[in-house]
Amino acid sequence: MDRFSLKITRRRLLAAGLPGVLVLALSGAPVRAGTPAGSGPVRYLDPARAVADRVEDLLARMGLDDKIGQMTQAERGHITPAEITRFRVGSVLSGGGSVPTPNTPRGWADMYDGFQGAALAAPLRVPILYGVDAVHGHNNVVGATVFPHNIGLGATRDPELVRRIGAVTAEEMAGTGVDWNFAPCVCVARDDRWGRTYESFGEVPALPSSMTTIIDGLQGGTLGGPTSVLATAKHFVGDGGTKDGDDQGDAVLSEEELRAVHLPPFREAVRRGVGSVMVSYSSWNGVKMHRNRRLITGVLKGELGFSGFVVSDYNGIDQIDGEPGFTREEVATAVNAGIDMVMVPAEWRRFIILLREAVEEGAVPMARIDDATRRILTKKVELGLFERPMADRSRLGGVGSAGHRALARRAAAASQVVLKNENVLPLKHGGRIFVAGRAADDIGTQAGGWTVTWQGAPGPTTPGTTILEGIREAAGGSAEVTYDRDGTGADKSYDVAVAVVGEQPYAEYQGDRVDGLRLDETDLGTIGRLRAAGVPVVVVLVSGRPLDVTSELPGWDGFVASWLPGTEGAGVADVLFGDTAPSGRLPVTWPRDAGQEPINEGDGQRPLYPFGAGLTYG
Ligand code: GLC
């Protein structure tokens, strides 16, 4: 069967609606093997050779199927090791919460090595990249150190601390084998109603730009170090500027504003050598970013000189034509726009077929396929994956180590922003303290979304120290600390009452707020009981963004924005008791109410608290 009749057969089968894998099987598509590594001097496997030389040698040995395989990223639950070998798939990901059983560091290393071993069983032995969202530590893994989310790190104004966090995150990833982090999000959150506000370091471009130091931490001075992982600047571009904070919505902006506000963090990430960039689901002036060739190829790769590779978002190409699923036209449009690797979690087989057809039809030039493959292979060689493809199990013991948690505690403390203090803070060691609130004794709540599961969840989801446990530890042995979730039992006999309240975990569009930003009835009831007890009240707000507290604030004696501090709640207590002086400053403007959104520094509005606000102790 020649290639022409093969193509017709495949198309007829596809037209008949047969699933891709059946089409491949029925049409007998010879997944053309590349030139086996055994023939000729294998330059690409020689670490002494220059990266470019190795890449060109490998590229020359590749057939079209090998190259398309490198451009394909499948989700771990939708592909087997044998399929990785057969289809030469170049990357696998864990979507948020997609974890091995058992979800332990060793369980991850076993899973990773299983997939990697399959990739190395293919003729050319090209290792996979395995990607996860380790957006605040290796957060999918139970037992990993979970750091404050980016909005809290923005409040620290400490790029060196953030670099260290990147380095520790990479160390914990290396033990499990995972070598690609879909982080940092360098988005500039302009409307706090956006469900991903907490993934932003702040509302002005200078803040996310300054925190791109995390890329140095993740990747190391140069890729290829013993704990280097590939970092990803995301989501390109303007995801934090959509109308009404609508996640995956439309950023209606002039090019001048897009360049002034949303582009600078990507410029800085590219300057720091970020290895990959992820395209945003959102649109710019009605054009989906996943099809925007001028910005991806023209600006990112051309003007900014980005030499890494561009990856789509999860099923991002499905959204190009506004219809469910993806077509050959959408595949061609995305690849021609400059997307080098496509995240097609389940439909990866159909992607492979359609991209091959697009190339055979001339809709995607071979030069584009070679450019994309070259970019991907270059990062794999630079990372040292050909020399060290398997998990570094010597580092498994470091996952969630005391030293890493100490850094997370320090970061949690540095992220606290004291916004009101009527002589009630710092709390007295040894005093009688009443603690209330559903966020006080809940690791899952204080960690927020992207923690063990995609959306996160309340409860003891992973080891750590709750804020209440931190308060008990800091108060000292002579203190009396009473906890009641609802605030029942508080009375004048206590020196102070601390209400730890705020948002339940969420991620992405599920966190979009279209109903205002007020505290919910549960939290308002808790605070009300404490105030009725006639005791000074300190509110500690655990949230991914500013909330509307204006009408309640006069009744509070103290107010601390805690953000989403992660697993080390003792860091919050360190500041409440003054064992660490408060130093956090608002990374976003705090609105009087949601009606002021979007509200940002310099826009002429009168906020409740301005960008940069934060008290210290006298
Ligand atoms: C998600 C997010 C992106 C993440 C990707 C893989 O939908 O938009 O930030 O990296 O899918 O989980």
Side-chain angles (χ1 to χ4, degrees):
M1 184 184 288
D2 66 36
R3 183 193 293 195
F4 180 71
S5 56
L6 173 65
K7 182 168 58 187
I8 295 232
T9 306
R10 211 173 19 225
R11 179 177 305 148
R12 268 212 297 275
L13 291 167
L14 266 180
L18 288 173
V21 64
L22 194 51
V23 170
L24 271 180
L26 292 178
S27 63
V31 179
R32 187 170 300 107
T35 311
S39 58
V42 188
R43 297 207 317 265
Y44 75 92
L45 291 176
D46 180 354
R49 290 185 173 275
V51 170
D53 184 18
R54 297 177 66 183
V55 168
E56 291 310 316
D57 177 54
L58 177 51
L59 201 59
R61 297 168 184 267
M62 286 183 145
L64 178 56
D65 291 312
D66 294 289
K67 297 171 183 176
I68 291 177
Q70 287 302 306
M71 296 173 67
T72 305
Q73 183 181 57
E75 210 281 338
R76 61 170 283 282
H78 295 280
I79 193 166
T80 65
E83 288 167 330
I84 289 172
T85 307
R86 176 163 178 232
F87 294 95
R88 290 115 171 92
V89 167
S91 181
V92 178
L93 84 141
S94 277
S98 179
V99 301
T101 303
N103 181 3
T104 61
R106 188 170 303 284
W108 277 82
D110 292 344
M111 173 186 72
Y112 174 89
D113 284 352
F115 284 126
Q116 192 64 284
L120 300 177
L124 293 175
R125 296 165 47 197
V126 182
I128 58 163
L129 277 165
Y130 194 104
V132 297
D133 296 274
V135 294
H136 60 147
H138 200 1
N139 41 250
N140 284 307
V141 182
V142 171
T145 308
V146 178
F147 294 92
H149 268 295
N150 287 353
I151 195 168
L153 298 182
T156 71
R157 301 299 199 276
D158 189 342
E160 174 52 22
L161 170 65
V162 171
R163 186 196 64 76
R164 280 288 305 134
I165 288 172
V168 165
T169 299
E171 284 175 39
E172 298 201 1
M173 291 174 68
T176 66
V178 175
D179 38 44
W180 183 9
N181 192 354
F182 303 135
C185 182
V186 293
C187 51
V188 184
R190 302 291 287 173
D191 189 316
D192 306 311
R193 293 170 294 182
W194 185 36
R196 307 194 76 162
T197 296
Y198 69 76
E199 295 187 62
S200 174
F201 290 105
E203 69 180 27
V204 297
L207 209 34
S209 296
S210 70
M211 297 305 182
T212 51
T213 50
I214 196 167
I215 294 166
D216 301 338
L218 288 166
Q219 297 191 155
T222 57
L223 280 178
T227 60
S228 282
V229 299
L230 198 68
T232 309
K234 70 182 187 182
H235 309 84
F236 186 78
V237 64
D239 52 344
T242 59
K243 190 173 180 312
D244 301 332
D246 174 18
D247 188 41
Q248 307 184 11
D250 191 10
V252 182
L253 305 169
S254 66
E255 178 157 354
E256 182 188 6
E257 184 174 354
L258 184 78
R259 285 179 170 272
V261 175
H262 300 282
L263 194 61
F266 286 96
R267 184 184 306 277
E268 184 61 14
V270 169
R271 190 187 68 79
R272 289 180 184 277
V274 70
S276 67
V277 169
M278 185 181 291
V279 177
S280 178
Y281 284 120
S282 58
S283 302
W284 176 47
N285 294 336
V287 177
K288 274 287 179 186
M289 276 308 304
H290 274 70
R291 69 174 309 144
N292 199 315
R293 187 171 192 282
R294 185 165 81 84
L295 289 179
I296 298 171
T297 299
V299 174
L300 177 63
K301 292 181 176 178
E303 188 181 316
L304 270 59
F306 175 59
S307 59
F309 68 87
V310 174
V311 63
S312 78
D313 204 332
Y314 195 100
N315 288 326
I317 65 170
D318 296 18
Q319 297 185 7
I320 289 174
D321 67 2
E323 298 300 323
F326 58 83
T327 63
R328 189 179 63 216
E329 288 65 35
E330 285 176 300
V331 168
T333 298
V335 173
N336 286 334
I339 291 176
D340 303 302
M341 185 185 288
V342 183
M343 196 184 288
V344 274
E347 290 301 309
W348 55 269
R349 298 170 192 81
R350 210 160 69 82
F351 169 76
I352 289 170
I353 292 171
L354 293 182
L355 181 50
R356 171 177 255 283
E357 281 197 9
V359 174
E360 289 170 345
E361 310 276 309
V364 175
M366 195 63 212
R368 177 75 271 274
I369 299 294
D370 285 342
D371 173 52
T373 307
R374 183 176 289 114
R375 288 170 176 266
I376 294 164
L377 294 178
T378 297
K379 293 307 155 189
K380 292 187 174 183
V381 172
E382 289 176 350
L383 264 174
L385 279 181
F386 286 84
E387 287 70 51
R388 296 187 309 280
M390 312 312 268
D392 179 357
R393 292 170 185 259
S394 70
R395 296 185 182 278
L396 280 174
V399 179
S401 68
H404 293 174
R405 290 181 187 276
L407 180 67
R409 176 172 177 169
R410 194 178 123 219
S415 67
Q416 302 304 297
V417 182
V418 176
L419 291 169
K420 181 176 183 182
N421 182 16
E422 302 289 331
N423 301 315
V424 68
L425 291 171
L427 303 178
K428 294 178 182 53
H429 298 88
R432 294 190 76 244
I433 303 169
F434 194 99
V435 181
R438 63 183 167 184
D441 196 27
D442 192 311
I443 286 280
T445 297
Q446 69 189 51
W450 295 104
T451 307
V452 181
T453 61
W454 174 43
Q455 291 293 314
T461 54
T462 191
T465 305
T466 67
I467 294 168
L468 173 64
E469 289 167 338
I471 290 173
R472 290 191 192 284
E473 175 194 332
S478 62
E480 181 187 336
V481 178
T482 304
Y483 172 61
D484 180 88
R485 180 188 168 101
D486 303 328
T488 305
D491 61 35
K492 279 182 176 298
S493 70
Y494 291 94
D495 302 320
V496 65
V498 180
V500 187
V501 297
E503 294 188 300
Q504 296 298 283
Y506 56 82
E508 300 191 54
Y509 51 85
Q510 296 193 27
D512 282 2
R513 291 288 289 266
V514 294
D515 58 346
L517 292 169
R518 287 182 54 75
L519 295 177
D520 70 10
E521 291 309 313
T522 300
D523 289 340
L524 291 172
T526 301
I527 297 167
R529 282 181 207 95
L530 300 183
R531 290 189 55 204
V535 64
V537 174
V538 175
V539 173
V540 176
L541 185 65
V542 173
S543 67
R545 64 187 124 204
L547 295 181
D548 174 357
V549 299
T550 306
S551 59
E552 303 295 320
L553 191 61
W556 303 351
D557 301 278
F559 175 36
V560 178
S562 192
W563 314 112
L564 298 170
T567 50
E568 308 313 308
V572 177
D574 289 339
V575 169
L576 293 178
F577 284 85
D579 297 331
T580 299
S583 58
R585 291 191 287 122
L586 287 184
V588 290
T589 301
W590 201 288
R592 291 182 174 280
D593 58 53
Q596 288 192 306
E597 295 291 355
I599 183 170
N600 296 286
E601 184 194 36
D603 69 5
Q605 297 192 77
R606 200 164 60 86
L608 183 62
Y609 296 106
F611 174 84
L615 301 176
T616 59
Y617 294 148

